[in-house]
Amino acid sequence: MSKCCVKAMVTGKVQGVWYRRSTQEQALQHGVTGHAKNLPDGRVEVLLCGESSAVNAVVEWLWKGPPGARVTHVELEGVEYRDRDTFQTL
């Protein structure tokens, strides 16, 4: 199995709608580590590290988000793999 890390910048109505907490739940269900944090410009930055298939599953979910979110864009960037022990909301 190959491991990877992806940084996603999520745009839309993604703050104040439980987006970070819901992303954390998805990541933990898939065994993915990293973080989700609100940015001052209204976007959410998500770092996902783990097995490629699990990371891809969470990335697909990022486009939907929780009920109440309206995602308009997800910009992905591959980043150097970092071994984390959990997924945090920052």
Side-chain angles (χ1 to χ4, degrees), residues 27-52:
L28 293 172
Q29 283 174 19
H30 287 89
V32 171
T33 62
H35 68 250
K37 69 178 179 182
N38 285 340
L39 298 177
D41 64 6
R43 295 181 300 169
V44 172
E45 176 188 294
V46 180
L47 177 69
L48 302 168
C49 296
E51 299 295 344
S52 298

Side-chain angles (χ1 to χ4, degrees), residues 1 3 5 8 25 29 32 34-35 37-38 44-45 47 53 64 72-73 75 83-84 87-88:
M1 290 286 195
K3 294 193 172 206
C5 275
E25 289 171 7
Q29 283 174 19
V32 171
H35 68 250
K37 69 178 179 182
N38 285 340
V44 172
E45 176 188 294
L47 177 69
S53 58
K64 299 183 206 89
T72 56
H73 190 68
E75 184 182 324
D83 210 3
R84 302 275 173 100
F87 190 95
Q88 299 176 300

Side-chain angles (χ1 to χ4, degrees), residues 6-15 17 19-20 23 35-39 41-48 58-66 69-76:
V6 172
K7 183 166 80 171
M9 304 300 264
V10 186
T11 307
K13 184 182 174 192
V14 291
Q15 290 191 10
V17 292
Y19 195 91
R20 290 177 302 148
T23 300
H35 68 250
K37 69 178 179 182
N38 285 340
L39 298 177
D41 64 6
R43 295 181 300 169
V44 172
E45 176 188 294
V46 180
L47 177 69
L48 302 168
V58 180
V59 166
E60 277 185 36
W61 180 88
L62 292 177
W63 281 95
K64 299 183 206 89
R70 282 202 311 279
V71 178
T72 56
H73 190 68
V74 178
E75 184 182 324
L76 299 174

